[in-house]
Every structure is written in structure tokens, then in C-alpha cells.
Amino acid sequence: MYFCTLEIIYIRYIMSLLDLSEQEILRRESLKELRAMGIEPYPAAEYVVTGYSTDLKNNFKDDAPQQEVSIAGRLMTRRVMGKASFAEIQDSKGRIQVYISRDDLCPGENKDMYNTVFKRLLDIGDFIGVKGYVFRTQMGEISVHVSELTVLSKSLKPLPIVKYKDGVAYDKFDDPELRYRQRYVDLVVNDGIKSTFEKRATIIRTLRNTLDEAGYTEVETPTLQSIAGGASARPFITHFNALDQDMYMRIATELYLKRLIVGGFEGVYEIGKNFRNEGMDRTHNPEFTCMELYVQYKDYNWMMSFTEKLLEKICIAVNGCAESKMGDNVISFKAPFRRLPILEAIKEKTGYDLDGKSEEEIREVCKALKMEIDDTMGKGKLIDEIFGEFCEGTFIQPTFITDYPVEMSPLTKMHRSKPGLTERFELMVNGKELANAYSELNDPIDQEERFKEQMRLADKGDDEAMIIDQDFLRALQYGMPPTSGIGIGIDRLVMLMTGQTTIQEVLLFPQMKPEKKTPKDADAKFLALGIPADWIPLVQKAGYNLVADMKEVKPQKFHQDICGVNKKYKVGLENPSVDQVTEWLGKIE
RNA sequence: GACUCAGUAGCUCAGCUGGUAGAGCAACAGACUCUUAAUCUGUGGGUCCAGGGUUCGAUCCCCUGCUGGGUCACCA
């Protein structure tokens, strides 16, 4: 069964109308009307702008000679008062009011541009360009007096209307679900969203500039890996057809960057995405941005002072000072930061001194602290749990927590003087880990042993233990200079620098569950029952998206439902008889 | 995964022991040449998330499910 093109076009036309809201249909009609008037709603030509909203407002001087300008943007509000109107145009920098008087826009006899185009066919959300001069209204608002208006792009879907008065937002568009899914709308209608992402760009630019000036090389390493190493996390698995083998999305850049230090770079860094197949919440997104840096001949002490200077510089670049507000907390990134060994931190917060204690003794401490633990946890994991439970959240001001136990640091060099501990620090800010760094382990034999220990943990049931990377070991065997490395979570850094409390606010497109689409049976299934093609969209509009949905319904009710749609949406089809409908429904198996 | 709250017009939200729905904005028609959440008059617009149950009658009560928010757990 097939139909001619015209029928298909007609069905699509009905379907499109049935799926649209009244306002969307009206906007489409306005679009047609514009074309009928000879106005192209989506013109191809460049529209030359000579200024931007906020610049015009900031640079305006009442006593300066009149300034002709040309600006473009989205029409965001409209206040029509008969023969004169005010509107606000939103461009990339902000908003400015424009004043349109009928007789200035249309000096001749034909007033269509004002009466028809501006007042009736344009809608909020449309892009327009205007030419005119800048002036100050009686109410004191700097505005553009419009002499020429160009339609640049018609908007077919109505934007949520958010209005502001005295800093209070009315009818706010603040449902997180909608804001993240339709970030483009969020950026258009909500104040301050764009600036968060501009700050994010500033942070990354400052970071990159600082590392470049220090003489380090920006590199890119594989995202698709056959062994996902360098961190403890579950990876995403994907499939490479050409080799018919599974691959992993990287969970860290560490092992590749260290190979490059073996290869002779002074310093290498990468700013890129890592992927971890774990939960999603206000501080975790499955893909997130990390910066990792490795510098030869350095140690973790050097890295601490490098890091605090780096962060202070970034904070000043973003906020103009070395402080950032997080809710009620003011965080100072003024270097230097406090340094505190992890066992001292635990002693400080819990009163238990774990120095020199065995795994069994620590297990007892955990029980005394009423913690939930299990047998798969080794000594390192236990200490980590105690720290996470009682200490981590308490470090609001930037604090370097140093000298972690070897069990939880398989890629870290042993401490130069403290047995059982490693030369590692984590930087805690606002109660969360922001960075993780070490004096890198460069003893290939020790490294192999550490990997084997990880394998034993994996055998015990730790599904995050690291997998042994033979090629990385081979690289180390050629010799790696003493090296210090660090990883900084960029998303969390942006949160701290911009005062945001959820990671979704600093990611343009945070991971969301896929949008659910109502399943619909193919047209052929409806045609098979004898339902005419024209009627299929109406049947589906009435709520019968699947043939199975019609199975139980009484013919009378079904008849009423579909004829109701026909009438309500003025589709204009001839209604079937109840007998015909009964016949269709009778064919359902 | 647990708990909890929510789902009503294009948007933000009301809706009383249970009697099939309202406001503001947006839209449409009209008035208005310096307004600014413009104002004034009028109009249209709803699968009250879905499916069961109780009831003469359910947006409301009960059950189940779906979707989402929040909190917690998991997750360096």
C-alpha cells in the first residue's frame, strides 16, 4: 500500500497542526503572511551591527552629538501605545530599549511596517535589526530611536516570559529539568546563566595561559582506550567494530601523560573529558573535565606551591580578588594554603591516632566510630573512609591534605621519611576534593608490585581496583625522571569560583535521562484496519497511539473521540459512520 | 536504591468535607505618540500525568504506574 505525494503532504500538514499549540500555529501563519508581503523572515544577507546594547548604554552622553547606530538581537518585550511603541532588544551583551514611532518608521503613506509587521506579525523571541539614533527618554532610559527595522529571524515557539522588576523575577523559568534540557532557552531568558559560562571560559583560559607561560606543552591523549587506567573507577564500555573488540572510555589521562614524561617533555598537560560509569548527582556528572599536569624533576612540595599560586591567579582573573563566595562561606584562595597530613587530620577531627596502627586495629577504630565497613576494605580504604566520613566536609578553606597511606595510592612514590605513607596530597576546598597530586612513582619494579596489589583487591571484590597496564610498566622500565603530577577537577573548580553548588549549573549540557517519546504504531497498522490515511493523525490525537489502545474501547466512544478531534481542530474531514468505526475496531486482533 | 514533595492553560501558579476548573503573564480583537512587570476594554485557550478503585458524582480520597524535583545512600 502506498499513497501519492499530495496525500502524504496533507497528512503531515494535519499532523503538524494537531501537534502544535494555538500560539505556534499563529506564529506559522504570521510567517506566511510576512512572506506574502515580500518580507523574507530568514534573510541570507549579513546584518552589519555597529554597537551592542550595554556598550551603548554605558557610553551614552547627554550632551554628545546624536549617534546613529545599527544593532540586532531578540525582541524580548513589547509595549505598544498606539502610534508609538517601546520594545527591548536582547543581544549578546545584554538588553537595550528601542523606541519606535509609527511615523518615524514609516514616513510615507504606507504604514504596514509598523501596523502590520511590528505590531502584529512580530513576536517575542524574533530576531530583528534596527537602525536609529541613541537618546534618553523622558523616564531616563537610554534607548534607540528606530528609523529602520529588519526582520532577521522568526521564532516559531513562544519563549517563557520572565520579567524583572527591582531585581525580582516574575514567572521565573526555573524548573531544572527544563532548564538543562533546553539550555538554549535558559540562556535566553534567565539572567546570569551566560555569565557563569563566560567565567568558566575565563578560568580555563587563565589556567592554559599560566601553564603555557611556565613552558609546559598542551597535549591530547586517547579517549578511547583498551585499558582504562590511572584512577579507581568503573569505565564506560564501547565497541570498536573494525577490530571487533570492546574498548573503554578513559577514566583519567595520567598513564598516557607519564609516558610523555618518559619521552622527554619538560612538562605536559591535558585539559579534557574523563568518563566514569557511576552515579549522577549534584557533584557528579558521568563525563567531566579534568586538567592533569606532569612536570619533570619536581616533587609534591613544589606542586603545592605551584597549585596555590595558580588558583589564586585564577580566582583573581574571575572574581577580581582572591576570594569567592559559596553560599554563606567566603573562600580565600590567597596563597599559601594550610598543609595537614591525613593522619593528623583524622586525629584532629576524631581523636584517634592511627599512626603505625595495623589494619585490624584500624578496623576496631572504625567500629568504635560506628562506621559501616566490610571485609573487602583494606587498610588504605578504611583510612579513606574515616577521612571521608569525619574530616573531608570540614575543610572549607583550601587545605592540602598530605601523606596518604600507600594502600590507597598505587601510583604514588613512597614518602621520603614516613614509612607506609606516600608523597601525595589532595586539595580540599569547601568540604570537597578539588585536586589530587603526587610525587609520581617512577620505580618500575615497585609499580608492578602496586599493580599486583590492586589485582588482589580486585579479587577480593573491589570493582574499582586498577587494572595492570603492561605498556605503562614498559615505559617506566625505560626510565622516568622524578616527576610531580596533579589532576584538578575543572567542573568543581568552576563551581568554587562562581559560587555554584551543583555541577549541572557549570555544565552547559549536563547528562540527562533521554526524553521519553510516546510510542506510536506505524501508519500501515492503522491502514490495515481500513482506517483512511487522513484519519490516522486524528485517531492518534484522540489518544489512540497504538492499535492496541483501541482494543477495549466501545465503538460509540471511539466514534465520538475522533469526530470530536475533527470538529475541535477544524480539520474538515467527513465523519465516518458508527458502523464504519465498528468495522475498523472489529479487525483488531 | 530509600525517603519525601510535586505533575492543572504556551509560562508561573491557585483550587475549601468530593459537585467536571481560576488568576497573572503570554496569545487574539480594540483604545492609546516617552512606556518600562506599561495601562484600559473584550475574547479564545484545559486528556486537571496515566490506569484502576471508592462514590450518584473524583483535579481532590485510596491503590498502582510514569515523569521530575529535593534529601540521603552509592561513587576518591
Side-chain angles (χ1 to χ4, degrees), chain A residues 79-123:
Chain A
R79 298 182 283 275
V80 179
M81 286 154 299
K83 298 181 189 67
S85 299
F86 289 93
E88 276 170 38
I89 287 185
Q90 176 167 301
D91 63 17
S92 59
K93 296 199 175 178
R95 286 191 188 187
I96 189 166
Q97 176 172 273
V98 298
Y99 175 75
I100 304 177
S101 87
R102 186 192 68 182
D103 297 331
D104 290 331
L105 182 64
C106 312
E109 283 301 302
N110 185 338
K111 307 294 186 189
D112 283 354
M113 198 61 196
Y114 182 78
N115 287 334
T116 308
V117 176
F118 175 74
K119 278 172 64 177
R120 195 158 60 80
L121 300 181
L122 285 185
D123 292 291

Side-chain angles (χ1 to χ4, degrees), chain A residues 164 172-174 179-180 182-200 498 500 504-508:
Chain A
Y164 294 91
K172 246 173 124 171
F173 178 66
D174 60 1
R179 286 184 47 228
Y180 303 150
Q182 301 187 44
R183 181 67 91 180
Y184 35 88
V185 174
D186 189 31
L187 287 163
V188 172
V189 304
N190 286 332
D191 267 0
I193 306 296
K194 198 194 273 168
S195 76
T196 299
F197 294 100
E198 285 164 349
K199 285 178 186 169
R200 183 176 176 122
T498 59
Q500 296 294 337
Q504 284 79 18
E505 291 293 345
V506 301
L507 298 169
L508 280 166

Side-chain angles (χ1 to χ4, degrees), chain A residues 230-446:
Chain A
S232 308
R234 273 181 303 225
F236 280 93
I237 303 173
T238 184
H239 191 79
F240 186 14
N241 290 339
L243 299 180
D244 188 23
Q245 72 179 28
D246 284 344
M247 304 282 287
Y248 302 96
M249 306 294 287
R250 75 173 169 206
I251 56 174
T253 45
E254 173 152 3
L255 301 186
Y256 278 96
L257 294 178
K258 283 199 243 184
R259 284 170 168 95
L260 296 175
I261 294 296
V262 170
F265 283 94
E266 172 75 20
V268 288
Y269 73 94
E270 178 164 6
I271 301 171
K273 289 278 182 77
N274 290 337
F275 305 84
R276 296 189 184 176
N277 207 340
E278 291 164 354
M280 262 194 297
D281 60 33
R282 54 170 47 220
T283 52
H284 295 85
N285 195 64
E287 58 177 296
F288 60 99
T289 305
C290 257
M291 189 287 299
E292 287 193 38
L293 164 71
Y294 294 82
V295 186
Q296 64 178 2
Y297 307 129
K298 306 297 187 191
D299 66 5
Y300 79 142
N301 291 317
W302 175 88
M303 188 60 88
M304 279 189 255
S305 55
F306 183 84
T307 303
E308 60 200 7
K309 278 180 273 182
L310 173 69
L311 294 182
E312 181 177 4
K313 189 169 168 186
I314 288 173
C315 191
I316 290 169
V318 176
N319 295 317
C321 63
E323 290 179 349
S324 174
K325 278 201 188 74
M326 285 297 286
D328 295 335
N329 294 329
V330 174
I331 294 169
S332 169
F333 286 96
K334 182 103 190 70
F337 304 161
R338 185 183 182 200
R339 285 147 215 231
L340 186 66
I342 187 169
L343 295 182
E344 282 181 32
I346 290 173
K347 191 158 68 179
E348 183 177 305
K349 305 291 176 186
T350 70
Y352 287 98
D353 187 354
L354 306 183
D355 192 19
K357 290 246 182 351
S358 71
E359 181 173 326
E360 256 332 291
E361 289 168 312
I362 293 172
R363 206 174 283 277
E364 287 306 314
V365 169
C366 287
K367 282 175 189 157
L369 290 168
K370 299 187 168 43
M371 291 173 56
E372 286 180 28
I373 50 167
D374 61 61
D375 294 342
T376 67
M377 293 177 178
K379 185 175 169 181
K381 186 88 176 168
L382 292 171
I383 291 172
D384 192 32
E385 291 289 320
I386 296 173
F387 181 78
E389 180 82 22
F390 298 97
C391 310
E392 184 168 341
T394 67
F395 295 105
I396 303 302
Q397 296 304 321
T399 307
F400 290 116
I401 302 296
T402 65
D403 305 340
Y404 283 65
V406 60
E407 291 87 349
M408 52 203 281
S409 311
L411 301 166
T412 313
K413 190 175 275 198
M414 295 305 296
H415 197 280
R416 63 195 74 183
S417 61
K418 299 177 182 173
L421 302 180
T422 58
E423 299 213 345
R424 172 181 180 182
F425 72 81
E426 286 193 359
L427 174 60
M428 314 301 302
V429 187
N430 202 39
K432 281 267 170 357
E433 175 195 344
L434 173 64
N436 182 16
Y438 347 117
S439 299
E440 302 294 336
L441 178 56
N442 62 345
D443 174 345
I445 294 168
D446 190 2

Side-chain angles (χ1 to χ4, degrees), chain A residues 56-58 60 96-97 134-137 140-144:
Chain A
L56 292 178
K57 287 198 276 191
N58 292 338
F60 181 77
I96 189 166
Q97 176 172 273
V134 189
F135 74 113
R136 188 189 289 277
T137 66
E141 178 96 10
I142 296 160
S143 310
V144 176

Side-chain angles (χ1 to χ4, degrees), chain A residues 551-567:
Chain A
K551 209 167 174 179
E552 304 289 329
V553 71
K554 291 193 179 107
Q556 283 79 3
K557 175 168 165 46
F558 182 77
H559 182 257
Q560 270 180 16
D561 285 348
I562 63 170
C563 294
V565 171
N566 187 30
K567 187 179 171 192

